[in-house]
Short mmCIF file of all heavy atoms in Angstrom, two decimals:
data_model
loop_
_atom_site.label_atom_id
_atom_site.label_comp_id
_atom_site.label_asym_id
_atom_site.label_seq_id
_atom_site.Cartn_x
_atom_site.Cartn_y
_atom_site.Cartn_z
N MET A 1 30.66 -22.34 -21.61
CA MET A 1 29.41 -22.74 -22.24
C MET A 1 28.86 -24.06 -21.71
O MET A 1 27.67 -24.33 -21.87
CB MET A 1 29.65 -22.88 -23.77
CG MET A 1 29.78 -21.55 -24.46
SD MET A 1 28.25 -20.67 -24.44
CE MET A 1 28.54 -19.50 -25.66
N GLY A 2 29.70 -24.84 -21.10
CA GLY A 2 29.24 -26.11 -20.55
C GLY A 2 28.25 -25.93 -19.40
O GLY A 2 27.33 -26.75 -19.23
N VAL A 3 28.49 -24.89 -18.63
CA VAL A 3 27.60 -24.63 -17.49
C VAL A 3 26.17 -24.24 -17.96
O VAL A 3 25.17 -24.68 -17.43
CB VAL A 3 28.17 -23.53 -16.58
CG1 VAL A 3 27.26 -23.16 -15.49
CG2 VAL A 3 29.54 -23.95 -16.03
N LEU A 4 26.12 -23.45 -19.05
CA LEU A 4 24.85 -23.02 -19.58
C LEU A 4 24.05 -24.23 -20.09
O LEU A 4 22.84 -24.32 -19.90
CB LEU A 4 25.07 -22.01 -20.70
CG LEU A 4 23.82 -21.43 -21.35
CD1 LEU A 4 22.99 -20.72 -20.30
CD2 LEU A 4 24.19 -20.52 -22.49
N LYS A 5 24.76 -25.18 -20.74
CA LYS A 5 24.08 -26.38 -21.28
C LYS A 5 23.57 -27.22 -20.10
O LYS A 5 22.46 -27.79 -20.21
CB LYS A 5 25.00 -27.15 -22.17
CG LYS A 5 24.31 -28.34 -22.83
CD LYS A 5 25.17 -28.97 -23.89
CE LYS A 5 24.32 -30.05 -24.58
NZ LYS A 5 25.04 -30.61 -25.72
N ILE A 6 24.31 -27.31 -19.06
CA ILE A 6 23.85 -28.09 -17.86
C ILE A 6 22.60 -27.44 -17.27
O ILE A 6 21.63 -28.14 -16.91
CB ILE A 6 24.99 -28.23 -16.86
CG1 ILE A 6 26.12 -29.10 -17.42
CG2 ILE A 6 24.47 -28.77 -15.50
CD1 ILE A 6 27.33 -29.12 -16.55
N ILE A 7 22.62 -26.11 -17.14
CA ILE A 7 21.48 -25.40 -16.55
C ILE A 7 20.25 -25.59 -17.45
O ILE A 7 19.16 -25.88 -16.96
CB ILE A 7 21.80 -23.93 -16.37
CG1 ILE A 7 22.85 -23.75 -15.28
CG2 ILE A 7 20.59 -23.11 -16.04
CD1 ILE A 7 23.41 -22.39 -15.15
N LEU A 8 20.42 -25.46 -18.78
CA LEU A 8 19.27 -25.62 -19.70
C LEU A 8 18.76 -27.10 -19.66
O LEU A 8 17.58 -27.31 -19.77
CB LEU A 8 19.68 -25.24 -21.12
CG LEU A 8 19.86 -23.76 -21.34
CD1 LEU A 8 20.36 -23.52 -22.76
CD2 LEU A 8 18.60 -22.99 -21.09
N THR A 9 19.66 -28.05 -19.50
CA THR A 9 19.26 -29.47 -19.45
C THR A 9 18.47 -29.71 -18.15
O THR A 9 17.43 -30.40 -18.19
CB THR A 9 20.45 -30.37 -19.49
OG1 THR A 9 21.21 -30.07 -20.67
CG2 THR A 9 20.04 -31.82 -19.52
N ILE A 10 18.89 -29.15 -17.05
CA ILE A 10 18.14 -29.29 -15.80
C ILE A 10 16.75 -28.66 -15.91
O ILE A 10 15.76 -29.23 -15.46
CB ILE A 10 18.95 -28.71 -14.62
CG1 ILE A 10 20.18 -29.60 -14.37
CG2 ILE A 10 18.12 -28.61 -13.36
CD1 ILE A 10 21.19 -29.03 -13.40
N MET A 11 16.71 -27.43 -16.50
CA MET A 11 15.38 -26.80 -16.73
C MET A 11 14.52 -27.62 -17.61
O MET A 11 13.29 -27.76 -17.37
CB MET A 11 15.59 -25.41 -17.35
CG MET A 11 16.09 -24.36 -16.41
SD MET A 11 16.41 -22.76 -17.18
CE MET A 11 14.88 -22.46 -18.07
N PHE A 12 15.13 -28.27 -18.62
CA PHE A 12 14.36 -29.13 -19.57
C PHE A 12 13.75 -30.33 -18.84
O PHE A 12 12.61 -30.67 -19.02
CB PHE A 12 15.29 -29.52 -20.71
CG PHE A 12 14.61 -30.30 -21.79
CD1 PHE A 12 13.76 -29.65 -22.66
CD2 PHE A 12 14.85 -31.65 -21.96
CE1 PHE A 12 13.18 -30.35 -23.70
CE2 PHE A 12 14.25 -32.34 -22.99
CZ PHE A 12 13.36 -31.69 -23.86
N ILE A 13 14.53 -30.94 -17.96
CA ILE A 13 14.03 -32.08 -17.24
C ILE A 13 12.89 -31.69 -16.26
O ILE A 13 11.90 -32.39 -16.16
CB ILE A 13 15.20 -32.76 -16.47
CG1 ILE A 13 16.16 -33.42 -17.43
CG2 ILE A 13 14.69 -33.76 -15.46
CD1 ILE A 13 17.48 -33.85 -16.83
N ILE A 14 13.06 -30.53 -15.61
CA ILE A 14 12.02 -30.05 -14.69
C ILE A 14 10.74 -29.78 -15.46
O ILE A 14 9.62 -30.13 -15.03
CB ILE A 14 12.51 -28.82 -13.93
CG1 ILE A 14 13.62 -29.23 -12.93
CG2 ILE A 14 11.35 -28.11 -13.19
CD1 ILE A 14 14.32 -28.05 -12.29
N ILE A 15 10.84 -29.13 -16.64
CA ILE A 15 9.70 -28.85 -17.45
C ILE A 15 9.04 -30.12 -17.95
O ILE A 15 7.81 -30.25 -17.98
CB ILE A 15 10.09 -27.94 -18.68
CG1 ILE A 15 10.37 -26.52 -18.08
CG2 ILE A 15 8.95 -27.87 -19.70
CD1 ILE A 15 10.90 -25.54 -19.14
N CYS A 16 9.82 -31.12 -18.31
CA CYS A 16 9.26 -32.43 -18.73
C CYS A 16 8.42 -33.07 -17.64
O CYS A 16 7.35 -33.51 -17.89
CB CYS A 16 10.39 -33.36 -19.17
SG CYS A 16 11.20 -32.93 -20.68
N ILE A 17 8.99 -33.09 -16.44
CA ILE A 17 8.26 -33.68 -15.29
C ILE A 17 7.00 -32.89 -14.99
O ILE A 17 5.89 -33.45 -14.78
CB ILE A 17 9.18 -33.78 -14.08
CG1 ILE A 17 10.32 -34.77 -14.35
CG2 ILE A 17 8.40 -34.20 -12.84
CD1 ILE A 17 11.43 -34.77 -13.35
N ALA A 18 7.07 -31.58 -14.99
CA ALA A 18 5.90 -30.73 -14.69
C ALA A 18 4.84 -30.91 -15.78
O ALA A 18 3.68 -30.94 -15.46
CB ALA A 18 6.34 -29.27 -14.61
N LEU A 19 5.24 -31.06 -17.02
CA LEU A 19 4.30 -31.27 -18.10
C LEU A 19 3.56 -32.55 -17.97
O LEU A 19 2.34 -32.60 -18.18
CB LEU A 19 5.03 -31.15 -19.47
CG LEU A 19 4.21 -31.03 -20.70
CD1 LEU A 19 3.33 -29.81 -20.67
CD2 LEU A 19 5.14 -30.98 -21.92
N VAL A 20 4.28 -33.64 -17.61
CA VAL A 20 3.62 -34.91 -17.38
C VAL A 20 2.61 -34.84 -16.23
O VAL A 20 1.48 -35.30 -16.34
CB VAL A 20 4.69 -36.01 -17.12
CG1 VAL A 20 4.04 -37.30 -16.63
CG2 VAL A 20 5.50 -36.27 -18.37
N VAL A 21 3.00 -34.19 -15.16
CA VAL A 21 2.10 -34.07 -14.01
C VAL A 21 0.88 -33.24 -14.36
O VAL A 21 -0.28 -33.62 -14.00
CB VAL A 21 2.86 -33.42 -12.82
CG1 VAL A 21 1.91 -33.05 -11.69
CG2 VAL A 21 3.94 -34.37 -12.32
N LEU A 22 1.04 -32.13 -15.10
CA LEU A 22 -0.09 -31.31 -15.46
C LEU A 22 -1.08 -32.06 -16.40
O LEU A 22 -2.29 -31.94 -16.25
CB LEU A 22 0.33 -30.03 -16.16
CG LEU A 22 0.83 -28.91 -15.22
CD1 LEU A 22 1.36 -27.77 -16.04
CD2 LEU A 22 -0.28 -28.47 -14.33
N VAL A 23 -0.53 -32.83 -17.33
CA VAL A 23 -1.39 -33.56 -18.22
C VAL A 23 -2.19 -34.67 -17.45
O VAL A 23 -3.36 -34.84 -17.69
CB VAL A 23 -0.58 -34.21 -19.38
CG1 VAL A 23 -1.40 -35.20 -20.14
CG2 VAL A 23 -0.08 -33.10 -20.31
N LEU A 24 -1.56 -35.29 -16.53
CA LEU A 24 -2.23 -36.33 -15.74
C LEU A 24 -3.28 -35.73 -14.78
O LEU A 24 -4.23 -36.44 -14.43
CB LEU A 24 -1.22 -37.14 -14.94
CG LEU A 24 -0.32 -38.06 -15.78
CD1 LEU A 24 0.69 -38.73 -14.92
CD2 LEU A 24 -1.19 -39.09 -16.51
N MET A 25 -3.10 -34.47 -14.38
CA MET A 25 -4.07 -33.84 -13.47
C MET A 25 -5.35 -33.41 -14.15
O MET A 25 -6.36 -33.24 -13.51
CB MET A 25 -3.43 -32.64 -12.80
CG MET A 25 -2.43 -32.96 -11.70
SD MET A 25 -1.61 -31.49 -11.04
CE MET A 25 -2.99 -30.63 -10.37
N GLN A 26 -5.30 -33.27 -15.48
CA GLN A 26 -6.47 -32.75 -16.20
C GLN A 26 -7.54 -33.82 -16.35
O GLN A 26 -7.23 -35.03 -16.41
CB GLN A 26 -6.05 -32.25 -17.60
CG GLN A 26 -5.18 -31.04 -17.55
CD GLN A 26 -4.79 -30.57 -18.92
OE1 GLN A 26 -5.35 -30.95 -19.87
NE2 GLN A 26 -3.82 -29.68 -18.96
N GLU A 27 -8.78 -33.38 -16.41
CA GLU A 27 -9.89 -34.28 -16.62
C GLU A 27 -9.97 -34.65 -18.08
O GLU A 27 -9.49 -33.95 -18.96
CB GLU A 27 -11.18 -33.61 -16.23
CG GLU A 27 -11.31 -33.29 -14.73
CD GLU A 27 -12.61 -32.61 -14.42
OE1 GLU A 27 -13.43 -32.43 -15.36
OE2 GLU A 27 -12.76 -32.19 -13.27
N GLY A 28 -10.64 -35.80 -18.35
CA GLY A 28 -10.85 -36.20 -19.69
C GLY A 28 -11.92 -35.34 -20.36
O GLY A 28 -12.65 -34.62 -19.71
N LYS A 29 -12.01 -35.46 -21.68
CA LYS A 29 -13.00 -34.66 -22.44
C LYS A 29 -14.44 -35.12 -22.14
O LYS A 29 -15.39 -34.37 -22.10
CB LYS A 29 -12.73 -34.72 -23.92
CG LYS A 29 -11.46 -34.01 -24.31
CD LYS A 29 -11.70 -32.52 -24.21
CE LYS A 29 -10.43 -31.79 -24.63
NZ LYS A 29 -10.52 -30.41 -24.44
N SER A 30 -14.60 -36.44 -21.92
CA SER A 30 -15.95 -36.91 -21.58
C SER A 30 -16.15 -36.90 -20.11
O SER A 30 -15.31 -37.26 -19.33
CB SER A 30 -16.11 -38.33 -22.11
OG SER A 30 -15.23 -39.18 -21.43
N ALA A 31 -17.31 -36.39 -19.69
CA ALA A 31 -17.58 -36.25 -18.29
C ALA A 31 -18.39 -37.47 -17.77
O ALA A 31 -19.08 -37.36 -16.78
CB ALA A 31 -18.36 -34.97 -18.03
N GLY A 32 -18.31 -38.57 -18.46
CA GLY A 32 -19.05 -39.78 -18.00
C GLY A 32 -20.45 -39.76 -18.49
O GLY A 32 -20.82 -39.20 -19.53
N LEU A 33 -21.34 -40.40 -17.73
CA LEU A 33 -22.77 -40.51 -18.15
C LEU A 33 -23.46 -39.20 -18.03
O LEU A 33 -24.54 -39.03 -18.68
CB LEU A 33 -23.42 -41.56 -17.30
CG LEU A 33 -22.98 -43.00 -17.49
CD1 LEU A 33 -23.69 -43.94 -16.51
CD2 LEU A 33 -23.19 -43.46 -18.89
N GLY A 34 -22.99 -38.28 -17.26
CA GLY A 34 -23.64 -36.96 -17.15
C GLY A 34 -23.62 -36.16 -18.43
O GLY A 34 -24.49 -35.36 -18.72
N ALA A 35 -22.58 -36.40 -19.26
CA ALA A 35 -22.49 -35.69 -20.53
C ALA A 35 -23.56 -36.19 -21.53
O ALA A 35 -23.98 -35.45 -22.39
CB ALA A 35 -21.10 -35.91 -21.11
N ILE A 36 -23.97 -37.43 -21.39
CA ILE A 36 -25.03 -37.95 -22.31
C ILE A 36 -26.35 -37.28 -22.05
O ILE A 36 -27.07 -36.89 -22.99
CB ILE A 36 -25.14 -39.48 -22.14
CG1 ILE A 36 -23.79 -40.16 -22.58
CG2 ILE A 36 -26.27 -40.02 -22.97
CD1 ILE A 36 -23.76 -41.61 -22.27
N SER A 37 -26.71 -37.12 -20.80
CA SER A 37 -28.03 -36.52 -20.49
C SER A 37 -28.00 -34.99 -20.51
O SER A 37 -29.03 -34.39 -20.28
CB SER A 37 -28.44 -37.02 -19.13
OG SER A 37 -27.58 -36.51 -18.11
N GLY A 38 -26.89 -34.39 -20.75
CA GLY A 38 -26.83 -32.94 -20.78
C GLY A 38 -26.54 -32.29 -19.46
O GLY A 38 -26.59 -31.09 -19.33
N ALA A 39 -26.18 -33.06 -18.44
CA ALA A 39 -25.91 -32.52 -17.12
C ALA A 39 -24.55 -31.86 -17.07
O ALA A 39 -24.25 -31.27 -16.02
CB ALA A 39 -26.02 -33.60 -16.10
N ALA A 40 -23.75 -31.97 -18.07
CA ALA A 40 -22.39 -31.45 -18.03
C ALA A 40 -22.41 -29.90 -18.19
O ALA A 40 -21.41 -29.24 -17.93
CB ALA A 40 -21.54 -32.04 -19.10
N GLU A 41 -23.49 -29.32 -18.63
CA GLU A 41 -23.61 -27.87 -18.83
C GLU A 41 -23.95 -27.19 -17.50
O GLU A 41 -25.09 -26.76 -17.27
CB GLU A 41 -24.62 -27.57 -19.91
CG GLU A 41 -24.57 -26.12 -20.42
CD GLU A 41 -23.23 -25.83 -21.09
OE1 GLU A 41 -22.67 -26.73 -21.75
OE2 GLU A 41 -22.77 -24.71 -20.99
N THR A 42 -22.96 -27.09 -16.64
CA THR A 42 -23.15 -26.48 -15.31
C THR A 42 -22.44 -25.14 -15.28
O THR A 42 -21.87 -24.71 -16.28
CB THR A 42 -22.60 -27.42 -14.20
OG1 THR A 42 -21.20 -27.58 -14.45
CG2 THR A 42 -23.30 -28.78 -14.22
N TYR A 43 -22.41 -24.55 -14.12
CA TYR A 43 -21.67 -23.28 -13.94
C TYR A 43 -20.21 -23.49 -14.29
O TYR A 43 -19.62 -22.63 -14.94
CB TYR A 43 -21.86 -22.80 -12.52
CG TYR A 43 -21.04 -21.58 -12.19
CD1 TYR A 43 -21.45 -20.34 -12.67
CD2 TYR A 43 -19.84 -21.64 -11.48
CE1 TYR A 43 -20.71 -19.18 -12.42
CE2 TYR A 43 -19.09 -20.52 -11.23
CZ TYR A 43 -19.52 -19.30 -11.70
OH TYR A 43 -18.78 -18.19 -11.43
N TRP A 44 -19.61 -24.55 -13.82
CA TRP A 44 -18.19 -24.80 -14.05
C TRP A 44 -17.96 -25.16 -15.48
O TRP A 44 -16.88 -24.86 -16.01
CB TRP A 44 -17.69 -25.92 -13.12
CG TRP A 44 -17.80 -25.55 -11.69
CD1 TRP A 44 -18.64 -26.11 -10.79
CD2 TRP A 44 -17.06 -24.54 -11.01
NE1 TRP A 44 -18.50 -25.50 -9.58
CE2 TRP A 44 -17.55 -24.53 -9.68
CE3 TRP A 44 -16.11 -23.61 -11.38
CZ2 TRP A 44 -17.02 -23.66 -8.75
CZ3 TRP A 44 -15.62 -22.72 -10.41
CH2 TRP A 44 -16.09 -22.74 -9.12
N GLY A 45 -18.88 -25.77 -16.20
CA GLY A 45 -18.73 -26.02 -17.60
C GLY A 45 -18.76 -24.74 -18.44
O GLY A 45 -18.03 -24.62 -19.41
N LYS A 46 -19.57 -23.77 -18.04
CA LYS A 46 -19.66 -22.54 -18.78
C LYS A 46 -18.47 -21.62 -18.48
O LYS A 46 -18.02 -20.87 -19.37
CB LYS A 46 -20.94 -21.80 -18.39
CG LYS A 46 -22.17 -22.48 -18.84
CD LYS A 46 -23.41 -21.73 -18.35
CE LYS A 46 -24.69 -22.49 -18.75
NZ LYS A 46 -25.86 -21.87 -18.19
N ASN A 47 -17.94 -21.66 -17.26
CA ASN A 47 -16.82 -20.79 -16.88
C ASN A 47 -15.52 -21.60 -16.74
O ASN A 47 -14.81 -21.38 -15.79
CB ASN A 47 -17.13 -20.07 -15.57
CG ASN A 47 -18.31 -19.12 -15.76
OD1 ASN A 47 -18.35 -18.41 -16.75
ND2 ASN A 47 -19.25 -19.15 -14.85
N LYS A 48 -15.27 -22.48 -17.67
CA LYS A 48 -14.11 -23.33 -17.54
C LYS A 48 -12.78 -22.59 -17.61
O LYS A 48 -11.82 -22.96 -17.03
CB LYS A 48 -14.17 -24.40 -18.65
CG LYS A 48 -13.22 -25.53 -18.41
CD LYS A 48 -13.51 -26.67 -19.37
CE LYS A 48 -13.63 -27.90 -18.58
NZ LYS A 48 -13.98 -29.06 -19.23
N GLY A 49 -12.77 -21.45 -18.31
CA GLY A 49 -11.57 -20.66 -18.42
C GLY A 49 -11.10 -20.08 -17.12
O GLY A 49 -9.95 -19.76 -16.89
N ARG A 50 -12.07 -19.84 -16.20
CA ARG A 50 -11.75 -19.25 -14.91
C ARG A 50 -11.58 -20.27 -13.78
O ARG A 50 -11.29 -19.90 -12.65
CB ARG A 50 -12.86 -18.25 -14.51
CG ARG A 50 -12.98 -17.14 -15.49
CD ARG A 50 -14.00 -16.12 -15.02
NE ARG A 50 -14.53 -15.44 -16.20
CZ ARG A 50 -15.71 -14.91 -16.26
NH1 ARG A 50 -16.53 -15.06 -15.29
NH2 ARG A 50 -16.08 -14.28 -17.32
N SER A 51 -11.80 -21.55 -14.09
CA SER A 51 -11.70 -22.54 -13.05
C SER A 51 -10.29 -23.10 -12.99
O SER A 51 -9.39 -22.73 -13.69
CB SER A 51 -12.71 -23.68 -13.35
OG SER A 51 -12.31 -24.34 -14.51
N MET A 52 -10.11 -24.09 -12.10
CA MET A 52 -8.85 -24.75 -11.96
C MET A 52 -8.49 -25.53 -13.24
O MET A 52 -7.33 -25.56 -13.64
CB MET A 52 -8.88 -25.71 -10.75
CG MET A 52 -7.59 -26.39 -10.50
SD MET A 52 -6.29 -25.18 -10.13
CE MET A 52 -5.72 -25.80 -8.59
N GLU A 53 -9.48 -26.07 -13.90
CA GLU A 53 -9.23 -26.80 -15.17
C GLU A 53 -8.70 -25.86 -16.22
O GLU A 53 -7.79 -26.17 -17.00
CB GLU A 53 -10.54 -27.43 -15.64
CG GLU A 53 -10.39 -28.29 -16.87
CD GLU A 53 -9.59 -29.52 -16.65
OE1 GLU A 53 -9.48 -30.02 -15.51
OE2 GLU A 53 -9.00 -30.04 -17.64
N GLY A 54 -9.27 -24.64 -16.30
CA GLY A 54 -8.77 -23.67 -17.24
C GLY A 54 -7.34 -23.26 -16.96
O GLY A 54 -6.53 -23.04 -17.89
N LEU A 55 -7.00 -23.12 -15.69
CA LEU A 55 -5.62 -22.79 -15.32
C LEU A 55 -4.67 -23.92 -15.71
O LEU A 55 -3.58 -23.67 -16.16
CB LEU A 55 -5.58 -22.58 -13.78
CG LEU A 55 -4.16 -22.26 -13.22
CD1 LEU A 55 -3.63 -20.92 -13.78
CD2 LEU A 55 -4.22 -22.24 -11.73
N LEU A 56 -5.10 -25.17 -15.52
CA LEU A 56 -4.23 -26.30 -15.91
C LEU A 56 -4.02 -26.31 -17.40
O LEU A 56 -2.92 -26.63 -17.86
CB LEU A 56 -4.87 -27.62 -15.43
CG LEU A 56 -4.88 -27.89 -13.98
CD1 LEU A 56 -5.63 -29.17 -13.64
CD2 LEU A 56 -3.50 -27.95 -13.41
N VAL A 57 -5.01 -25.99 -18.18
CA VAL A 57 -4.91 -25.97 -19.63
C VAL A 57 -3.90 -24.88 -20.07
O VAL A 57 -3.01 -25.08 -20.90
CB VAL A 57 -6.27 -25.76 -20.31
CG1 VAL A 57 -6.11 -25.47 -21.77
CG2 VAL A 57 -7.14 -26.97 -20.06
N LYS A 58 -4.02 -23.73 -19.43
CA LYS A 58 -3.12 -22.62 -19.78
C LYS A 58 -1.65 -22.95 -19.40
O LYS A 58 -0.73 -22.68 -20.19
CB LYS A 58 -3.53 -21.32 -19.04
CG LYS A 58 -4.77 -20.73 -19.57
CD LYS A 58 -5.22 -19.47 -18.79
CE LYS A 58 -6.60 -19.04 -19.20
NZ LYS A 58 -7.08 -17.95 -18.32
N LEU A 59 -1.48 -23.53 -18.23
CA LEU A 59 -0.11 -23.89 -17.82
C LEU A 59 0.45 -24.97 -18.73
O LEU A 59 1.67 -25.00 -18.99
CB LEU A 59 -0.13 -24.38 -16.36
CG LEU A 59 -0.31 -23.31 -15.28
CD1 LEU A 59 -0.40 -23.91 -13.90
CD2 LEU A 59 0.86 -22.32 -15.35
N THR A 60 -0.40 -25.90 -19.17
CA THR A 60 0.07 -26.96 -20.04
C THR A 60 0.54 -26.35 -21.37
O THR A 60 1.59 -26.79 -21.95
CB THR A 60 -1.06 -28.01 -20.30
OG1 THR A 60 -1.48 -28.51 -19.05
CG2 THR A 60 -0.56 -29.10 -21.19
N LYS A 61 -0.18 -25.37 -21.89
CA LYS A 61 0.22 -24.78 -23.18
C LYS A 61 1.56 -24.04 -22.97
O LYS A 61 2.43 -24.09 -23.87
CB LYS A 61 -0.86 -23.78 -23.64
CG LYS A 61 -2.09 -24.48 -24.12
CD LYS A 61 -3.15 -23.46 -24.54
CE LYS A 61 -4.44 -24.14 -24.97
NZ LYS A 61 -5.50 -23.18 -25.30
N ILE A 62 1.70 -23.28 -21.87
CA ILE A 62 2.95 -22.58 -21.61
C ILE A 62 4.12 -23.54 -21.49
O ILE A 62 5.21 -23.35 -22.12
CB ILE A 62 2.79 -21.71 -20.38
CG1 ILE A 62 1.81 -20.57 -20.66
CG2 ILE A 62 4.17 -21.14 -19.94
CD1 ILE A 62 1.42 -19.78 -19.42
N LEU A 63 3.96 -24.59 -20.72
CA LEU A 63 5.04 -25.57 -20.56
C LEU A 63 5.36 -26.32 -21.80
O LEU A 63 6.52 -26.64 -22.08
CB LEU A 63 4.71 -26.53 -19.42
CG LEU A 63 4.85 -25.99 -18.00
CD1 LEU A 63 4.45 -27.05 -16.99
CD2 LEU A 63 6.19 -25.46 -17.71
N ALA A 64 4.37 -26.59 -22.64
CA ALA A 64 4.60 -27.25 -23.92
C ALA A 64 5.40 -26.35 -24.86
O ALA A 64 6.32 -26.83 -25.55
CB ALA A 64 3.28 -27.61 -24.56
N ALA A 65 5.10 -25.06 -24.83
CA ALA A 65 5.91 -24.11 -25.65
C ALA A 65 7.34 -24.04 -25.16
O ALA A 65 8.28 -24.06 -25.96
CB ALA A 65 5.21 -22.75 -25.62
N LEU A 66 7.54 -23.94 -23.84
CA LEU A 66 8.89 -23.94 -23.28
C LEU A 66 9.63 -25.24 -23.60
O LEU A 66 10.82 -25.23 -23.86
CB LEU A 66 8.83 -23.70 -21.80
CG LEU A 66 8.47 -22.29 -21.31
CD1 LEU A 66 8.25 -22.27 -19.79
CD2 LEU A 66 9.50 -21.31 -21.72
N PHE A 67 8.89 -26.36 -23.54
CA PHE A 67 9.51 -27.64 -23.85
C PHE A 67 10.05 -27.63 -25.28
O PHE A 67 11.19 -28.03 -25.52
CB PHE A 67 8.46 -28.74 -23.67
CG PHE A 67 8.89 -30.09 -24.14
CD1 PHE A 67 9.67 -30.89 -23.38
CD2 PHE A 67 8.52 -30.55 -25.41
CE1 PHE A 67 10.05 -32.16 -23.81
CE2 PHE A 67 8.87 -31.79 -25.87
CZ PHE A 67 9.66 -32.60 -25.05
N MET A 68 9.25 -27.17 -26.24
CA MET A 68 9.70 -27.14 -27.60
C MET A 68 10.85 -26.17 -27.86
O MET A 68 11.81 -26.51 -28.56
CB MET A 68 8.52 -26.80 -28.51
CG MET A 68 7.49 -27.89 -28.63
SD MET A 68 6.18 -27.54 -29.82
CE MET A 68 5.13 -26.49 -28.84
N ILE A 69 10.79 -25.01 -27.24
CA ILE A 69 11.86 -24.03 -27.37
C ILE A 69 13.18 -24.56 -26.79
O ILE A 69 14.22 -24.46 -27.45
CB ILE A 69 11.49 -22.70 -26.70
CG1 ILE A 69 10.31 -22.04 -27.50
CG2 ILE A 69 12.66 -21.74 -26.60
CD1 ILE A 69 9.64 -20.90 -26.77
N LEU A 70 13.12 -25.13 -25.61
CA LEU A 70 14.34 -25.67 -25.01
C LEU A 70 14.86 -26.86 -25.78
O LEU A 70 16.07 -27.05 -25.90
CB LEU A 70 14.06 -26.08 -23.55
CG LEU A 70 14.18 -24.91 -22.56
CD1 LEU A 70 13.87 -25.43 -21.17
CD2 LEU A 70 15.54 -24.28 -22.55
N ALA A 71 13.99 -27.70 -26.35
CA ALA A 71 14.42 -28.83 -27.15
C ALA A 71 15.19 -28.34 -28.39
O ALA A 71 16.22 -28.92 -28.74
CB ALA A 71 13.21 -29.67 -27.56
N VAL A 72 14.71 -27.28 -29.01
CA VAL A 72 15.43 -26.73 -30.19
C VAL A 72 16.73 -26.10 -29.76
O VAL A 72 17.76 -26.33 -30.41
CB VAL A 72 14.51 -25.70 -30.88
CG1 VAL A 72 15.27 -24.93 -31.93
CG2 VAL A 72 13.33 -26.36 -31.53
N ILE A 73 16.74 -25.38 -28.71
CA ILE A 73 17.97 -24.72 -28.23
C ILE A 73 19.04 -25.75 -27.85
O ILE A 73 20.19 -25.60 -28.21
CB ILE A 73 17.69 -23.79 -27.01
CG1 ILE A 73 16.88 -22.55 -27.50
CG2 ILE A 73 19.00 -23.34 -26.37
CD1 ILE A 73 16.40 -21.66 -26.40
N LEU A 74 18.63 -26.80 -27.19
CA LEU A 74 19.61 -27.83 -26.77
C LEU A 74 20.12 -28.63 -27.95
O LEU A 74 21.23 -29.22 -27.83
CB LEU A 74 18.97 -28.75 -25.74
CG LEU A 74 18.79 -28.16 -24.32
CD1 LEU A 74 17.96 -29.08 -23.46
CD2 LEU A 74 20.14 -27.86 -23.68
N ASN A 75 19.40 -28.67 -29.06
CA ASN A 75 19.87 -29.41 -30.19
C ASN A 75 20.56 -28.57 -31.27
O ASN A 75 20.95 -29.06 -32.32
CB ASN A 75 18.70 -30.15 -30.86
CG ASN A 75 18.30 -31.33 -30.05
OD1 ASN A 75 19.13 -32.11 -29.67
ND2 ASN A 75 16.98 -31.44 -29.77
N LEU A 76 20.86 -27.29 -30.95
CA LEU A 76 21.54 -26.42 -31.91
C LEU A 76 23.04 -26.71 -31.95
O LEU A 76 23.73 -26.34 -32.90
CB LEU A 76 21.31 -24.95 -31.56
CG LEU A 76 19.94 -24.43 -31.87
CD1 LEU A 76 19.82 -22.97 -31.43
CD2 LEU A 76 19.66 -24.51 -33.38
N ASN A 77 23.56 -27.37 -30.94
CA ASN A 77 24.98 -27.71 -30.83
C ASN A 77 25.89 -26.47 -30.92
O ASN A 77 26.94 -26.49 -31.52
CB ASN A 77 25.40 -28.70 -31.92
CG ASN A 77 24.79 -30.05 -31.70
OD1 ASN A 77 24.54 -30.46 -30.56
ND2 ASN A 77 24.49 -30.76 -32.80
N VAL A 78 25.48 -25.39 -30.26
CA VAL A 78 26.30 -24.20 -30.19
C VAL A 78 27.04 -24.11 -28.86
O VAL A 78 27.81 -23.18 -28.64
CB VAL A 78 25.50 -22.90 -30.45
CG1 VAL A 78 24.98 -22.86 -31.85
CG2 VAL A 78 24.39 -22.77 -29.43
N PHE A 79 26.84 -25.07 -28.01
CA PHE A 79 27.47 -25.05 -26.67
C PHE A 79 28.78 -25.78 -26.71
O PHE A 79 28.94 -26.82 -27.11
CB PHE A 79 26.54 -25.64 -25.62
CG PHE A 79 25.23 -24.94 -25.51
CD1 PHE A 79 24.04 -25.47 -25.93
CD2 PHE A 79 25.21 -23.68 -24.94
CE1 PHE A 79 22.86 -24.78 -25.83
CE2 PHE A 79 24.00 -22.97 -24.80
CZ PHE A 79 22.87 -23.54 -25.27
#
């Protein structure tokens, strides 16, 4: 059982680092001065789910869920 805990801990660390990188890669909610004048409503703003930003959001949600699941599993003390 010790080997399984080591593998899960390594996966947990990799997910933690990937989650930090993904959050830092995302843009902020405010688009600067362009958002004030209404210039933020562009093609990329309308199709955000299909863009790179949408992909980053989806990956962040998946990694956050994996982070929480592994945190619970590692703290069950069944190993």
